[in-house]
Protein backbone atom coordinates (compact mmCIF):
# COMPACT_ATOMS: atom_id res chain seq x y z
CA UNK A 1 0.00 0.00 0.00
CA UNK A 2 1.38 3.32 -0.90
CA UNK A 3 2.19 5.53 2.07
CA UNK A 4 0.07 8.67 2.33
CA UNK A 5 2.24 11.58 3.24
CA UNK A 6 0.89 14.70 4.94
CA UNK A 7 1.90 17.64 2.78
CA UNK A 8 2.08 21.28 3.88
CA UNK A 9 0.30 23.86 1.71
CA UNK A 10 3.61 25.15 0.38
CA UNK A 11 4.59 21.63 -0.50
CA UNK A 12 1.24 21.16 -2.28
CA UNK A 13 1.73 24.39 -4.17
CA UNK A 14 5.28 23.41 -4.98
CA UNK A 15 4.15 20.09 -6.25
CA UNK A 16 1.04 21.21 -8.12
CA UNK A 17 1.92 24.78 -9.08
CA UNK A 18 1.38 24.20 -12.77
CA UNK A 19 -2.08 22.75 -12.18
CA UNK A 20 -2.97 25.59 -9.73
CA UNK A 21 -1.88 28.18 -12.25
CA UNK A 22 -3.89 26.48 -14.95
CA UNK A 23 -7.02 26.37 -12.72
CA UNK A 24 -6.70 30.01 -11.69
CA UNK A 25 -6.29 31.06 -15.29
CA UNK A 26 -9.32 29.07 -16.42
CA UNK A 27 -11.44 30.52 -13.59
CA UNK A 28 -10.40 34.02 -14.62
CA UNK A 29 -11.25 33.35 -18.26
CA UNK A 30 -14.62 31.91 -17.29
CA UNK A 31 -15.63 35.12 -15.47
CA UNK A 32 -18.59 36.82 -17.17
CA UNK A 33 -17.48 39.34 -19.73
CA UNK A 34 -19.58 41.51 -22.00
CA UNK A 35 -19.43 38.77 -24.60
CA UNK A 36 -20.43 36.09 -22.12
CA UNK A 37 -23.39 38.21 -21.03
CA UNK A 38 -24.56 38.46 -24.61
CA UNK A 39 -24.34 34.66 -24.93
CA UNK A 40 -26.42 33.90 -21.86
CA UNK A 41 -29.74 32.10 -22.35
CA UNK A 42 -32.54 34.40 -23.42
CA UNK A 43 -34.36 36.29 -20.68
CA UNK A 44 -38.12 36.48 -21.20
CA UNK A 45 -38.83 40.08 -21.97
CA UNK A 46 -41.75 42.22 -23.05
CA UNK A 47 -40.89 43.95 -26.34
CA UNK A 48 -43.73 46.17 -27.39
CA UNK A 49 -45.13 49.36 -28.80
CA UNK A 50 -47.71 51.71 -27.32
CA UNK A 51 -50.42 54.06 -28.51
CA UNK A 52 -53.65 55.56 -27.19
CA UNK A 53 -57.28 55.46 -28.27
CA UNK A 54 -57.92 59.11 -29.05
CA UNK A 55 -54.66 59.57 -30.92
CA UNK A 56 -55.45 56.77 -33.37
CA UNK A 57 -59.05 55.58 -33.41
CA UNK A 58 -61.00 58.46 -34.93
CA UNK A 59 -64.69 59.07 -34.18
CA UNK A 60 -64.16 59.71 -30.45
CA UNK A 61 -67.00 62.24 -30.50
CA UNK A 62 -68.03 62.19 -26.84
CA UNK A 63 -64.54 63.18 -25.82
CA UNK A 64 -63.52 66.53 -24.32
CA UNK A 65 -60.78 66.66 -26.97
CA UNK A 66 -63.29 66.48 -29.84
CA UNK A 67 -64.68 69.90 -28.88
CA UNK A 68 -61.29 71.26 -27.84
CA UNK A 69 -59.76 70.50 -31.23
CA UNK A 70 -62.52 72.46 -32.96
CA UNK A 71 -61.55 75.69 -31.18
CA UNK A 72 -59.33 77.56 -33.66
CA UNK A 73 -55.74 77.86 -32.50
CA UNK A 74 -55.79 75.10 -29.90
CA UNK A 75 -53.97 72.56 -32.08
CA UNK A 76 -51.17 73.28 -34.55
CA UNK A 77 -52.57 73.64 -38.06
CA UNK A 78 -56.06 73.37 -36.52
CA UNK A 79 -55.74 69.60 -36.96
CA UNK A 80 -58.23 67.31 -35.28
CA UNK A 81 -58.43 63.59 -34.51
CA UNK A 82 -61.86 62.99 -36.03
CA UNK A 83 -60.40 60.37 -38.35
CA UNK A 84 -56.87 60.08 -36.90
CA UNK A 85 -55.43 56.80 -38.29
CA UNK A 86 -58.85 55.11 -38.36
CA UNK A 87 -57.41 52.50 -36.04
CA UNK A 88 -60.93 51.83 -34.72
CA UNK A 89 -61.70 50.11 -38.02
CA UNK A 90 -58.19 48.98 -38.92
CA UNK A 91 -56.96 47.43 -35.69
CA UNK A 92 -56.59 43.96 -37.25
CA UNK A 93 -54.19 45.33 -39.84
CA UNK A 94 -52.23 47.30 -37.22
CA UNK A 95 -51.87 44.27 -34.97
CA UNK A 96 -50.74 42.04 -37.84
CA UNK A 97 -48.02 44.59 -38.55
CA UNK A 98 -47.06 44.59 -34.87
CA UNK A 99 -46.76 40.80 -34.99
CA UNK A 100 -44.64 41.01 -38.14
CA UNK A 101 -42.24 43.20 -36.15
CA UNK A 102 -41.71 40.48 -33.52
CA UNK A 103 -43.48 42.45 -30.79
CA UNK A 104 -44.99 40.32 -28.04
CA UNK A 105 -46.76 43.20 -26.29
CA UNK A 106 -48.97 46.06 -27.46
CA UNK A 107 -50.07 48.79 -25.10
CA UNK A 108 -53.45 50.25 -26.07
CA UNK A 109 -55.92 52.47 -24.24
CA UNK A 110 -59.68 52.32 -24.08
CA UNK A 111 -61.69 55.49 -24.61
CA UNK A 112 -63.62 56.45 -21.50
CA UNK A 113 -65.86 58.85 -23.54
CA UNK A 114 -66.87 56.04 -25.91
CA UNK A 115 -67.61 53.61 -23.12
CA UNK A 116 -69.48 56.01 -20.83
CA UNK A 117 -70.91 58.75 -23.07
CA UNK A 118 -73.45 59.63 -20.37
CA UNK A 119 -72.69 59.33 -16.72
CA UNK A 120 -73.50 55.85 -15.45
CA UNK A 121 -74.70 54.66 -18.90
CA UNK A 122 -72.17 52.25 -20.29
CA UNK A 123 -72.22 51.46 -23.97
CA UNK A 124 -72.13 47.66 -24.17
CA UNK A 125 -71.40 47.73 -27.91
CA UNK A 126 -68.21 49.69 -27.26
CA UNK A 127 -67.15 47.30 -24.50
CA UNK A 128 -67.78 44.48 -26.95
CA UNK A 129 -65.60 46.31 -29.47
CA UNK A 130 -62.68 46.49 -27.04
CA UNK A 131 -63.13 42.83 -26.20
CA UNK A 132 -62.67 42.07 -29.90
CA UNK A 133 -59.61 44.34 -29.94
CA UNK A 134 -57.84 42.54 -27.10
CA UNK A 135 -58.82 39.17 -28.55
CA UNK A 136 -57.32 40.23 -31.87
CA UNK A 137 -54.03 40.84 -30.05
CA UNK A 138 -54.18 37.50 -28.25
CA UNK A 139 -54.97 35.72 -31.51
CA UNK A 140 -51.62 37.00 -32.77
CA UNK A 141 -49.74 35.93 -29.66
CA UNK A 142 -49.47 39.51 -28.44
CA UNK A 143 -50.04 40.45 -24.82
CA UNK A 144 -52.50 43.35 -24.51
CA UNK A 145 -51.68 46.05 -21.97
CA UNK A 146 -54.73 48.22 -21.34
CA UNK A 147 -54.55 51.84 -20.17
CA UNK A 148 -57.76 53.19 -18.67
CA UNK A 149 -56.95 56.89 -18.80
CA UNK A 150 -54.81 58.48 -21.49
CA UNK A 151 -55.75 62.17 -21.24
CA UNK A 152 -59.36 62.05 -22.51
CA UNK A 153 -62.64 62.39 -20.60
CA UNK A 154 -66.32 62.27 -21.47
CA UNK A 155 -67.59 65.83 -21.81
CA UNK A 156 -70.06 65.38 -18.93
CA UNK A 157 -67.14 64.75 -16.57
CA UNK A 158 -65.97 68.38 -16.87
CA UNK A 159 -69.48 69.67 -16.34
CA UNK A 160 -69.12 68.05 -12.93
CA UNK A 161 -65.84 69.93 -12.22
CA UNK A 162 -63.63 67.15 -13.60
CA UNK A 163 -60.80 66.02 -11.35
CA UNK A 164 -61.46 68.92 -9.00
CA UNK A 165 -64.68 67.20 -7.95
CA UNK A 166 -64.25 65.37 -4.65
CA UNK A 167 -66.25 62.44 -6.07
CA UNK A 168 -64.14 62.16 -9.22
CA UNK A 169 -62.17 59.17 -7.97
CA UNK A 170 -65.40 57.25 -7.29
CA UNK A 171 -66.71 58.13 -10.73
CA UNK A 172 -63.51 56.86 -12.34
CA UNK A 173 -63.46 53.70 -10.24
CA UNK A 174 -66.92 52.77 -11.50
CA UNK A 175 -65.68 53.07 -15.05
CA UNK A 176 -62.55 51.03 -14.18
CA UNK A 177 -64.66 48.27 -12.67
CA UNK A 178 -66.88 48.12 -15.73
CA UNK A 179 -63.92 47.82 -18.11
CA UNK A 180 -62.13 45.28 -15.93
CA UNK A 181 -65.25 43.18 -15.78
CA UNK A 182 -65.72 43.33 -19.56
CA UNK A 183 -62.11 42.51 -20.50
CA UNK A 184 -60.93 40.40 -17.61
CA UNK A 185 -60.83 37.14 -19.52
CA UNK A 186 -58.21 38.55 -21.89
CA UNK A 187 -56.25 41.17 -19.98
CA UNK A 188 -53.74 40.65 -17.22
CA UNK A 189 -51.69 43.84 -17.51
CA UNK A 190 -53.38 47.16 -16.76
CA UNK A 191 -52.40 50.79 -16.44
CA UNK A 192 -54.71 53.11 -14.51
CA UNK A 193 -53.27 56.46 -15.63
CA UNK A 194 -50.91 57.51 -18.34
CA UNK A 195 -48.82 60.42 -17.05
CA UNK A 196 -51.10 61.84 -14.35
CA UNK A 197 -48.70 64.74 -13.96
CA UNK A 198 -49.12 65.82 -17.56
CA UNK A 199 -52.87 65.83 -17.05
CA UNK A 200 -52.42 68.04 -13.98
CA UNK A 201 -49.86 70.40 -15.50
CA UNK A 202 -51.46 70.77 -18.94
CA UNK A 203 -55.11 70.57 -17.86
CA UNK A 204 -55.09 72.48 -14.55
CA UNK A 205 -51.89 74.49 -14.34
CA UNK A 206 -51.14 75.69 -17.86
CA UNK A 207 -54.59 75.20 -19.33
CA UNK A 208 -53.34 73.74 -22.62
CA UNK A 209 -55.45 70.55 -22.37
CA UNK A 210 -59.13 70.37 -21.47
CA UNK A 211 -60.61 71.57 -19.17
CA UNK A 212 -58.19 74.48 -19.78
CA UNK A 213 -57.84 75.58 -16.16
CA UNK A 214 -54.83 77.47 -14.90
CA UNK A 215 -54.95 77.53 -11.13
CA UNK A 216 -52.30 76.19 -8.75
CA UNK A 217 -54.71 75.55 -5.92
CA UNK A 218 -57.01 73.51 -8.16
CA UNK A 219 -54.00 71.64 -9.54
CA UNK A 220 -52.99 70.60 -6.02
CA UNK A 221 -56.51 69.33 -5.34
CA UNK A 222 -56.51 67.44 -8.64
CA UNK A 223 -53.18 65.84 -7.75
CA UNK A 224 -54.68 64.39 -4.60
CA UNK A 225 -57.81 63.24 -6.40
CA UNK A 226 -55.77 61.48 -9.05
CA UNK A 227 -53.88 59.52 -6.39
CA UNK A 228 -57.29 58.51 -4.98
CA UNK A 229 -58.58 57.66 -8.45
CA UNK A 230 -55.56 55.47 -9.18
CA UNK A 231 -55.99 53.66 -5.88
CA UNK A 232 -59.71 53.03 -6.31
CA UNK A 233 -59.27 51.91 -9.91
CA UNK A 234 -56.44 49.59 -8.82
CA UNK A 235 -58.71 48.02 -6.22
CA UNK A 236 -61.63 47.80 -8.67
CA UNK A 237 -59.47 45.98 -11.23
CA UNK A 238 -58.14 43.68 -8.55
CA UNK A 239 -61.55 42.77 -7.21
CA UNK A 240 -62.90 42.18 -10.72
CA UNK A 241 -60.06 40.30 -12.29
CA UNK A 242 -58.25 38.77 -9.29
CA UNK A 243 -55.32 37.62 -11.38
CA UNK A 244 -57.22 35.35 -13.75
CA UNK A 245 -53.88 34.22 -15.07
CA UNK A 246 -52.50 33.30 -11.67
CA UNK A 247 -51.26 29.97 -12.98
CA UNK A 248 -49.96 31.45 -16.17
CA UNK A 249 -48.38 34.79 -15.49
CA UNK A 250 -46.98 37.09 -18.11
CA UNK A 251 -43.55 38.65 -17.78
CA UNK A 252 -45.24 41.48 -15.94
CA UNK A 253 -48.61 41.23 -14.41
CA UNK A 254 -51.25 43.26 -12.59
CA UNK A 255 -51.79 47.00 -12.49
CA UNK A 256 -49.21 49.73 -12.92
CA UNK A 257 -48.85 53.41 -13.73
CA UNK A 258 -47.09 54.97 -16.71
CA UNK A 259 -45.24 57.92 -15.21
CA UNK A 260 -43.78 60.73 -17.23
CA UNK A 261 -40.13 61.05 -16.25
CA UNK A 262 -37.40 63.36 -17.45
CA UNK A 263 -33.73 63.56 -16.86
CA UNK A 264 -33.06 67.00 -15.35
CA UNK A 265 -29.76 68.91 -15.16
CA UNK A 266 -29.02 72.41 -13.88
CA UNK A 267 -28.94 75.06 -16.58
CA UNK A 268 -26.16 77.04 -14.92
CA UNK A 269 -22.77 75.89 -13.69
CA UNK A 270 -23.30 73.76 -10.59
CA UNK A 271 -20.35 75.38 -8.85
CA UNK A 272 -21.95 78.81 -8.91
CA UNK A 273 -24.68 80.12 -6.60
CA UNK A 274 -27.12 80.22 -9.55
CA UNK A 275 -26.27 76.63 -10.48
CA UNK A 276 -26.96 75.64 -6.91
CA UNK A 277 -30.37 77.31 -7.08
CA UNK A 278 -31.09 75.39 -10.29
CA UNK A 279 -30.26 72.18 -8.45
CA UNK A 280 -32.74 73.04 -5.72
CA UNK A 281 -35.38 73.78 -8.36
CA UNK A 282 -34.73 70.33 -9.83
CA UNK A 283 -35.28 68.68 -6.46
CA UNK A 284 -38.71 70.30 -6.18
CA UNK A 285 -39.62 69.47 -9.75
CA UNK A 286 -38.51 65.85 -9.49
CA UNK A 287 -40.37 65.40 -6.26
CA UNK A 288 -43.64 66.82 -7.57
CA UNK A 289 -43.51 65.42 -11.06
CA UNK A 290 -42.00 62.00 -10.38
CA UNK A 291 -41.58 60.78 -6.86
CA UNK A 292 -44.46 62.15 -4.78
CA UNK A 293 -47.10 60.34 -6.84
CA UNK A 294 -45.06 57.14 -6.99
CA UNK A 295 -44.54 57.16 -3.24
CA UNK A 296 -48.15 58.03 -2.46
CA UNK A 297 -49.48 54.95 -4.25
CA UNK A 298 -47.16 52.78 -2.20
CA UNK A 299 -47.29 54.39 1.23
CA UNK A 300 -50.74 55.96 1.26
CA UNK A 301 -49.22 59.35 2.09
CA UNK A 302 -48.79 62.27 -0.28
CA UNK A 303 -45.91 64.40 0.93
CA UNK A 304 -45.93 68.00 -0.24
CA UNK A 305 -43.18 69.32 1.96
CA UNK A 306 -40.12 67.36 0.88
CA UNK A 307 -38.51 69.48 -0.43
CA UNK A 308 -40.56 72.60 0.36
CA UNK A 309 -42.82 73.59 -2.54
CA UNK A 310 -42.69 77.38 -2.98
CA UNK A 311 -46.29 78.14 -3.95
CA UNK A 312 -48.30 75.61 -1.96
CA UNK A 313 -51.67 77.18 -1.13
CA UNK A 314 -51.70 78.77 2.35
CA UNK A 315 -52.88 76.45 5.11
CA UNK A 316 -52.68 73.42 2.83
CA UNK A 317 -51.78 70.17 4.54
CA UNK A 318 -48.18 69.19 3.89
CA UNK A 319 -48.81 65.56 4.59
CA UNK A 320 -52.00 64.18 3.08
CA UNK A 321 -53.07 60.73 4.14
CA UNK A 322 -54.76 58.64 1.44
CA UNK A 323 -54.93 55.27 3.18
CA UNK A 324 -56.68 53.48 0.31
CA UNK A 325 -53.60 54.17 -1.83
CA UNK A 326 -51.29 51.96 0.26
CA UNK A 327 -49.69 49.19 -1.80
CA UNK A 328 -51.64 49.93 -4.94
CA UNK A 329 -48.90 49.25 -7.46
CA UNK A 330 -47.84 45.93 -9.02
CA UNK A 331 -45.24 47.44 -11.34
CA UNK A 332 -44.14 50.87 -12.48
CA UNK A 333 -43.80 52.23 -15.99
CA UNK A 334 -41.29 54.89 -16.99
CA UNK A 335 -42.23 57.06 -19.98
CA UNK A 336 -38.92 58.58 -20.99
CA UNK A 337 -38.18 60.86 -23.92
CA UNK A 338 -35.68 63.54 -23.12
CA UNK A 339 -33.49 65.60 -20.85
CA UNK A 340 -34.31 69.12 -19.69
CA UNK A 341 -32.05 71.83 -18.43
CA UNK A 342 -33.68 73.56 -15.49
CA UNK A 343 -33.32 77.11 -14.26
CA UNK A 344 -34.70 78.39 -10.98
CA UNK A 345 -37.61 80.72 -11.69
CA UNK A 346 -39.44 82.34 -8.82
CA UNK A 347 -42.25 83.58 -11.05
CA UNK A 348 -43.32 80.02 -11.86
CA UNK A 349 -45.53 78.25 -9.31
CA UNK A 350 -43.24 75.22 -9.42
CA UNK A 351 -40.19 77.45 -8.98
CA UNK A 352 -38.54 76.19 -12.15
CA UNK A 353 -38.28 77.03 -15.83
CA UNK A 354 -37.67 74.21 -18.33
CA UNK A 355 -38.61 75.67 -21.70
CA UNK A 356 -35.09 76.79 -22.43
CA UNK A 357 -34.55 77.58 -26.13
CA UNK A 358 -32.92 74.83 -28.18
CA UNK A 359 -30.06 77.15 -29.16
CA UNK A 360 -29.01 77.43 -25.53
CA UNK A 361 -28.99 73.69 -24.85
CA UNK A 362 -26.00 71.83 -26.25
CA UNK A 363 -26.28 68.14 -27.21
CA UNK A 364 -27.69 65.80 -29.81
CA UNK A 365 -31.12 66.96 -30.91
CA UNK A 366 -33.90 65.14 -32.72
CA UNK A 367 -36.62 67.19 -34.35
CA UNK A 368 -37.82 68.79 -31.13
CA UNK A 369 -36.19 66.94 -28.25
CA UNK A 370 -32.73 66.50 -26.84
CA UNK A 371 -31.62 62.88 -27.24
CA UNK A 372 -30.07 61.63 -24.01
CA UNK A 373 -30.07 57.83 -23.61
CA UNK A 374 -27.95 57.98 -20.45
CA UNK A 375 -30.89 59.66 -18.75
CA UNK A 376 -32.85 56.41 -18.97
CA UNK A 377 -30.23 54.52 -16.97
CA UNK A 378 -30.16 57.29 -14.35
CA UNK A 379 -33.96 57.21 -14.11
CA UNK A 380 -34.12 53.45 -13.66
CA UNK A 381 -31.59 53.72 -10.83
CA UNK A 382 -33.44 56.66 -9.27
CA UNK A 383 -36.85 55.00 -9.60
CA UNK A 384 -35.61 51.95 -7.71
CA UNK A 385 -34.67 54.19 -4.78
CA UNK A 386 -38.31 55.27 -4.56
CA UNK A 387 -39.76 51.76 -4.68
CA UNK A 388 -40.84 50.44 -1.32
CA UNK A 389 -41.04 46.79 -2.43
CA UNK A 390 -39.60 44.54 -5.10
CA UNK A 391 -41.88 45.51 -7.97
CA UNK A 392 -40.66 45.39 -11.58
CA UNK A 393 -39.98 48.36 -13.84
CA UNK A 394 -41.09 48.68 -17.47
CA UNK A 395 -40.09 51.30 -20.01
CA UNK A 396 -43.69 52.04 -20.89
CA UNK A 397 -42.89 54.71 -23.52
CA UNK A 398 -39.76 55.82 -25.31
CA UNK A 399 -39.76 57.27 -28.78
CA UNK A 400 -38.71 59.90 -31.26
CA UNK A 401 -40.50 62.27 -33.63
CA UNK A 402 -38.51 61.60 -36.81
CA UNK A 403 -40.47 61.87 -40.05
CA UNK A 404 -37.46 61.01 -42.21
CA UNK A 405 -36.51 58.03 -40.03
CA UNK A 406 -32.93 59.27 -39.84
CA UNK A 407 -32.26 58.86 -36.12
CA UNK A 408 -34.89 56.40 -34.90
CA UNK A 409 -32.68 53.31 -35.21
CA UNK A 410 -29.82 54.79 -33.19
CA UNK A 411 -32.33 56.32 -30.75
CA UNK A 412 -33.85 52.92 -29.99
CA UNK A 413 -30.49 51.15 -29.97
CA UNK A 414 -28.89 53.58 -27.53
CA UNK A 415 -31.87 53.65 -25.19
CA UNK A 416 -32.12 49.88 -25.19
CA UNK A 417 -28.39 49.71 -24.43
CA UNK A 418 -28.93 52.01 -21.45
CA UNK A 419 -31.76 49.76 -20.28
CA UNK A 420 -29.64 46.62 -20.76
CA UNK A 421 -26.93 48.21 -18.68
CA UNK A 422 -29.49 48.60 -15.89
CA UNK A 423 -30.49 44.93 -16.24
CA UNK A 424 -26.82 43.93 -16.00
CA UNK A 425 -26.55 45.99 -12.85
CA UNK A 426 -29.37 43.89 -11.42
CA UNK A 427 -32.38 46.18 -11.91
CA UNK A 428 -35.58 44.28 -12.57
CA UNK A 429 -36.61 45.83 -15.90
CA UNK A 430 -39.04 43.64 -17.79
CA UNK A 431 -40.23 45.52 -20.82
CA UNK A 432 -39.50 48.14 -23.45
CA UNK A 433 -42.48 49.62 -25.29
CA UNK A 434 -41.66 51.98 -28.11
CA UNK A 435 -43.91 55.01 -28.64
CA UNK A 436 -45.57 54.68 -31.00
CA UNK A 437 -46.70 51.70 -33.05
CA UNK A 438 -47.96 53.98 -35.83
CA UNK A 439 -47.79 57.68 -36.49
CA UNK A 440 -50.69 59.36 -34.72
CA UNK A 441 -52.36 62.55 -33.57
CA UNK A 442 -50.06 64.45 -31.26
CA UNK A 443 -52.01 66.35 -28.58
CA UNK A 444 -51.03 69.97 -29.23
CA UNK A 445 -49.03 69.54 -32.42
CA UNK A 446 -51.48 67.64 -34.64
CA UNK A 447 -50.20 65.25 -37.29
CA UNK A 448 -46.79 66.72 -38.12
CA UNK A 449 -44.77 64.88 -35.46
CA UNK A 450 -44.03 61.36 -36.63
CA UNK A 451 -43.26 58.91 -33.84
CA UNK A 452 -44.38 55.68 -35.55
CA UNK A 453 -42.55 52.46 -36.26
CA UNK A 454 -45.17 52.39 -38.98
CA UNK A 455 -45.71 55.39 -41.19
CA UNK A 456 -49.25 56.58 -41.95
CA UNK A 457 -50.09 58.28 -45.22
CA UNK A 458 -52.91 60.49 -43.96
CA UNK A 459 -54.33 61.00 -47.46
CA UNK A 460 -54.92 57.28 -48.03
CA UNK A 461 -54.50 55.91 -44.47
CA UNK A 462 -52.05 53.42 -45.95
CA UNK A 463 -49.55 51.88 -43.50
CA UNK A 464 -45.86 51.43 -44.32
CA UNK A 465 -43.28 49.83 -42.03
CA UNK A 466 -40.31 52.15 -41.53
CA UNK A 467 -36.72 50.97 -42.08
CA UNK A 468 -35.90 51.54 -38.41
CA UNK A 469 -38.78 49.20 -37.48
CA UNK A 470 -37.30 46.45 -39.64
CA UNK A 471 -34.02 46.93 -37.85
CA UNK A 472 -35.84 46.76 -34.49
CA UNK A 473 -37.49 43.51 -35.53
CA UNK A 474 -34.07 41.95 -36.28
CA UNK A 475 -32.65 43.35 -33.08
CA UNK A 476 -35.40 41.72 -31.01
CA UNK A 477 -34.68 38.39 -32.68
CA UNK A 478 -31.03 38.39 -31.73
CA UNK A 479 -31.14 40.17 -28.40
CA UNK A 480 -30.34 38.27 -25.23
CA UNK A 481 -33.65 39.46 -23.86
CA UNK A 482 -36.16 37.72 -26.05
CA UNK A 483 -39.69 37.97 -27.32
CA UNK A 484 -41.08 35.24 -25.21
CA UNK A 485 -44.41 35.19 -23.43
CA UNK A 486 -43.27 32.53 -20.98
CA UNK A 487 -43.43 32.92 -17.24
CA UNK A 488 -40.35 34.76 -16.09
CA UNK A 489 -40.31 33.53 -12.55
C1 LIG B 1 -47.73 60.74 -24.24
C2 LIG B 1 -48.24 60.45 -25.64
C3 LIG B 1 -47.58 61.39 -26.62
C4 LIG B 1 -46.08 61.20 -26.54
C5 LIG B 1 -45.27 61.99 -27.55
C6 LIG B 1 -46.23 60.93 -24.20
O1 LIG B 1 -45.83 61.66 -23.12
O2 LIG B 1 -48.14 59.72 -23.37
O3 LIG B 1 -49.63 60.54 -25.66
O4 LIG B 1 -48.03 61.19 -27.92
O5 LIG B 1 -45.68 61.61 -25.26
O6 LIG B 1 -45.37 63.35 -27.35
Amino acid sequence: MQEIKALSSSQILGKYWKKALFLALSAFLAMPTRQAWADRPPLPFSWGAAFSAHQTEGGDRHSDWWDWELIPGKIAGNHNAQIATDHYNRYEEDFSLARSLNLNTVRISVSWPRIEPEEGKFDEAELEHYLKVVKALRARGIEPVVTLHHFTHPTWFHQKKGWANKDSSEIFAKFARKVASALKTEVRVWITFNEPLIQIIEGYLKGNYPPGISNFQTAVMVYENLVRAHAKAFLAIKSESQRIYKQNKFIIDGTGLALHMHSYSPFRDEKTEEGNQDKQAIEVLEHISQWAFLEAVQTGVLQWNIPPIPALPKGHKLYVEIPEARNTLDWVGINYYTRYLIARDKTNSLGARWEIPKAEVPGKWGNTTLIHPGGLLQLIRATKIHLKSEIPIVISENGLDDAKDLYRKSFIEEHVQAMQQAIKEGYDVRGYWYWSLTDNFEWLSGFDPRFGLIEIDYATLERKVRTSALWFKQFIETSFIKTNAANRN
Side-chain angles (χ1 to χ4, degrees):
M1 220 172 123
Q2 206 186 336
E3 206 188 320
I4 301 171
K5 275 199 227 152
L7 296 174
S8 71
S9 51
S10 57
Q11 280 174 311
I12 294 174
L13 258 187
K15 195 161 179 192
Y16 297 114
W17 70 270
K18 274 192 189 149
K19 199 161 185 184
L21 188 66
F22 173 74
L23 285 176
L25 208 61
S26 337
F28 176 74
L29 290 174
M31 267 164 58
T33 60
R34 276 179 175 272
Q35 189 52 37
W37 180 273
D39 291 341
R40 56 173 286 170
L43 185 66
F45 194 77
S46 168
W47 287 111
F51 60 89
S52 84
H54 187 81
Q55 293 177 273
T56 55
E57 287 181 347
D60 194 16
R61 62 185 64 248
H62 300 290
S63 159
D64 50 354
W65 276 82
W66 183 281
D67 301 332
W68 191 255
E69 287 154 19
L70 293 177
I71 304 172
K74 288 288 184 208
I75 314 293
N78 291 326
H79 292 172
N80 65 61
Q82 296 192 358
I83 298 176
T85 71
D86 194 29
H87 171 76
Y88 190 85
N89 297 307
R90 296 171 195 244
Y91 64 88
E92 298 262 5
E93 181 185 353
D94 290 344
F95 296 162
S96 293
L97 288 170
R99 183 64 266 178
S100 79
L101 294 179
N102 274 339
L103 304 178
N104 67 348
T105 310
V106 164
R107 178 186 156 203
I108 66 167
S109 78
V110 291
S111 158
W112 182 11
R114 269 186 201 284
I115 294 174
E116 197 180 0
E118 280 180 61
E119 188 181 3
K121 293 205 175 128
F122 295 96
D123 187 330
E124 295 297 332
E126 293 294 6
L127 287 166
E128 192 57 36
H129 168 80
Y130 285 116
L131 187 61
K132 281 197 214 139
V133 168
V134 289
K135 281 187 173 168
L137 285 169
R138 284 229 168 276
R140 289 164 176 81
I142 298 176
E143 185 72 21
V145 174
V146 174
T147 307
L148 292 176
H149 184 278
H150 199 126
F151 300 153
T152 59
H153 311 86
T155 42
W156 58 260
F157 183 68
H158 295 308
Q159 283 145 21
K160 302 191 69 171
K161 286 176 52 194
W163 293 111
N165 180 344
K166 67 173 179 29
D167 298 327
S168 51
S169 55
E170 277 303 330
I171 296 172
F172 185 69
K174 282 188 193 143
F175 158 70
R177 182 178 295 278
K178 191 76 190 171
V179 177
S181 154
L183 306 187
K184 66 184 174 191
T185 55
E186 308 299 321
V187 179
R188 48 186 161 173
V189 193
W190 300 88
I191 294 174
T192 52
F193 284 90
N194 178 67
E195 303 182 347
L197 258 293
I198 294 296
Q199 181 59 50
I200 298 165
I201 292 176
E202 298 293 346
Y204 293 87
L205 202 59
K206 290 184 174 176
N208 290 330
Y209 288 9
I213 291 171
S214 179
N215 181 309
F216 191 72
Q217 199 152 351
T218 311
V220 168
M221 199 157 50
V222 167
Y223 201 125
E224 294 169 11
N225 284 339
L226 285 179
V227 172
R228 291 189 183 96
H230 160 83
K232 290 179 187 167
F234 176 97
L235 296 170
I237 295 169
K238 198 160 189 176
S239 74
E240 275 302 320
S241 60
Q242 260 309 333
R243 306 274 169 102
I244 302 273
Y245 290 86
K246 233 184 212 156
Q247 302 309 319
N248 175 26
K249 284 185 169 184
F250 186 52
I251 298 154
I252 37 159
D253 161 67
T255 305
L257 269 169
L259 295 174
H260 191 252
M261 295 199 189
H262 292 306
S263 148
Y264 295 120
S265 312
F267 179 52
R268 294 165 293 188
D269 184 349
E270 287 186 48
K271 286 177 225 109
T272 65
E273 177 48 29
E274 288 87 0
N276 208 28
Q277 286 186 12
D278 294 351
K279 271 171 74 181
Q280 288 169 18
I282 289 176
E283 256 184 74
V284 175
L285 206 57
E286 277 182 341
H287 177 70
I288 304 181
S289 69
Q290 291 166 190
W291 314 131
F293 205 98
L294 179 58
E295 288 180 355
V297 299
Q298 299 175 86
T299 61
V301 176
L302 181 55
Q303 297 254 27
W304 284 112
N305 55 334
I306 306 171
I309 316 279
L312 204 64
K314 278 211 172 67
H316 191 88
K317 275 198 193 162
L318 298 179
Y319 180 95
V320 182
E321 289 188 46
I322 308 179
E324 66 269 35
R326 279 197 76 212
N327 299 329
T328 56
L329 203 62
D330 293 322
W331 55 273
V332 60
I334 297 178
N335 288 3
Y336 175 68
Y337 288 84
T338 190
R339 171 190 193 210
Y340 281 113
L341 295 192
I342 302 297
R344 171 108 169 95
D345 179 0
K346 286 188 186 146
T347 63
N348 182 307
S349 42
L350 296 179
R353 182 166 63 94
W354 54 91
E355 277 127 357
I356 295 170
K358 193 168 165 176
E360 290 180 50
V361 183
K364 194 163 119 194
W365 280 79
N367 206 2
T368 46
T369 47
L370 185 62
I371 301 176
H372 185 55
L376 183 57
L377 176 58
Q378 285 162 13
L379 275 172
I380 295 169
R381 290 177 183 151
T383 300
K384 175 72 184 164
I385 295 172
H386 295 270
L387 295 184
K388 310 288 174 199
S389 57
E390 295 294 317
I391 60 170
I393 296 173
V394 169
I395 310 310
S396 41
E397 283 183 28
N398 177 235
L400 188 68
D401 159 21
D402 180 15
K404 296 198 175 130
D405 206 27
L406 296 176
Y407 311 110
R408 189 171 285 103
K409 171 189 171 289
S410 61
F411 178 92
I412 298 177
E413 192 169 27
E414 287 167 21
H415 283 81
V416 168
Q417 272 164 8
M419 176 190 74
Q420 285 177 331
Q421 175 59 32
I423 295 173
K424 289 178 195 176
E425 289 176 14
Y427 292 91
D428 187 8
V429 184
R430 302 207 183 173
Y432 176 89
W433 305 335
Y434 179 80
W435 182 275
S436 178
L437 179 63
T438 64
D439 288 338
N440 57 37
F441 173 79
E442 188 56 43
W443 304 102
L444 298 178
S445 330
F447 293 105
D448 289 342
R450 300 290 190 135
F451 280 89
L453 290 173
I454 297 161
E455 182 182 350
I456 302 280
D457 176 339
Y458 285 106
T460 60
L461 294 176
E462 202 185 314
R463 276 79 169 136
K464 194 169 145 211
V465 173
R466 289 201 160 100
T467 311
S468 56
L470 293 174
W471 168 84
F472 190 34
K473 168 196 164 133
Q474 283 311 113
F475 175 84
I476 293 173
E477 235 165 57
T478 51
S479 167
F480 76 89
I481 39 185
K482 274 266 183 271
T483 293
N484 179 350
N487 187 345
R488 181 175 166 125
N489 298 314

